[in-house]
Amino acid sequence: DQQVKQNSPSLSVQEGRISILNCDYTNSMFDYFLWYKKYPAEGPTFLISISSIKDKNEDGRFTVFLNKSAKHLSLHIVPSQPGDSAVYFCAASRRGSQGGKLIFGQGTELSVKP
Amino acid sequence: EPEVTQTPSHQVTQMGQEVILRCVPISNHLYFYWYRQILGQKVEFLVSFYNNEISEKSEIFDDQFSVERPDGSNFTLKIRSTKLEDSAMYFCASSEAVAVEFFGPGTRLTVL
């Protein structure tokens, strides 16, 4: 099931610079997208989400951009901090479906160097 | 801040044994989920539960799996006869609506 893909398994960024994590999806029925952050041996922690009726959502240092025509979303972290080092997962869902299940990408491991 | 809790944090079992993984979702949430992550792979949906019944399940969630909300606070996942390939991190999640899901810390299941 490759409906949600994160093609970069890892990303290394200098502290203070911008981190850009990318995600592509194939199912045009998805209408809600989320980013989660995960540390080893912990559960995913919700970061930010976006509905398909928007193209941008911002929360502090985190901004998610959605390009529906390209079926692409990205997470921008500005400025990046060493504490941001973790695995980031994008996920997609169809809020109209009764189950509301999330389909996850494979994750991108972000390393922010001091 | 309310959070989802899971017990145990690590469960070791012999192949063929039954295991029950327990979760306490966030108290005012109405939707409950189980996901799993096999080492090195993506997080996969198993089952969603709403209004005391399964609302959706994946192909992974076969007859060996069952879920229950035995009281007003607990949500359990039972695996009747564990296989080696059931070894994974199992995450419980809950949500107020069909939107943002909040995850617990996970139970690491090791089947020997």
Side-chain angles (χ1 to χ4, degrees):
Chain A
D1 185 345
Q2 294 289 309
Q3 295 187 71
V4 179
K5 281 193 218 180
Q6 293 174 257
N7 291 318
S8 299
S10 63
L11 175 68
S12 183
V13 168
Q14 208 65 34
E15 181 179 6
R17 306 295 291 266
I18 185 171
S19 295
I20 300 176
L21 298 107
N22 294 302
C23 180
D24 297 295
Y25 62 96
T26 56
N27 189 340
S28 56
M29 300 298 288
F30 290 142
D31 57 8
Y32 197 65
F33 304 89
L34 309 91
W35 284 94
Y36 286 85
K37 174 180 179 180
K38 187 179 180 303
Y39 295 114
E42 292 186 13
T45 301
F46 170 71
L47 274 178
I48 192 168
S49 61
I50 188 166
S51 161
S52 60
I53 61 172
K54 294 188 172 183
D55 54 19
K56 178 182 172 181
N57 188 26
E58 193 172 350
D59 183 2
R61 296 186 299 115
F62 302 93
T63 303
V64 56
F65 295 91
L66 175 62
N67 182 335
K68 278 174 55 182
S69 60
K71 295 192 179 71
H72 177 84
L73 63 153
S74 61
L75 175 68
H76 292 209
I77 307 173
V78 183
S80 302
Q81 299 171 354
D84 295 329
S85 297
V87 178
Y88 288 76
F89 291 95
C90 69
S93 73
R94 292 173 53 192
R95 281 191 295 180
S97 71
Q98 199 168 1
K101 70 181 182 186
L102 296 178
I103 306 295
F104 282 85
Q106 305 94 315
T108 296
E109 183 169 10
L110 174 66
S111 174
V112 180
K113 310 270 186 217
Chain B
E1 187 176 324
E3 58 183 19
V4 176
T5 59
Q6 290 185 244
T7 54
S9 56
H10 191 190
Q11 174 88 50
V12 181
T13 190
Q14 294 290 326
M15 190 169 58
Q17 294 296 302
E18 174 184 287
V19 294
I20 298 176
L21 310 183
R22 302 180 193 279
C23 168
V24 179
I26 294 172
S27 62
N28 63 332
H29 284 186
L30 301 175
Y31 297 81
F32 313 111
Y33 310 85
W34 284 100
Y35 291 80
R36 77 174 185 190
Q37 185 181 28
I38 294 171
L39 189 63
Q41 298 187 23
K42 58 169 72 177
V43 177
E44 303 173 284
F45 168 81
L46 291 178
V47 65
S48 57
F49 192 86
Y50 170 72
N51 202 25
N52 281 321
E53 60 183 24
I54 290 174
S55 42
E56 190 170 359
K57 58 184 181 179
S58 72
E59 313 83 58
I60 303 166
F61 195 89
D62 61 21
D63 292 344
Q64 293 301 312
F65 291 85
S66 62
V67 289
E68 197 178 34
R69 188 153 162 83
D71 52 43
S73 59
N74 290 284
F75 181 51
T76 62
L77 174 69
K78 183 193 290 186
I79 309 175
R80 287 190 185 80
S81 177
T82 48
K83 308 187 201 58
L84 294 175
E85 54 265 36
D86 293 328
S87 294
M89 281 291 290
Y90 286 80
F91 296 107
C92 173
S94 69
S95 63
E96 217 173 338
V98 180
V100 177
E101 296 174 23
F102 294 90
F103 285 76
T107 292
R108 178 173 297 285
L109 176 64
T110 302
V111 182
L112 302 176

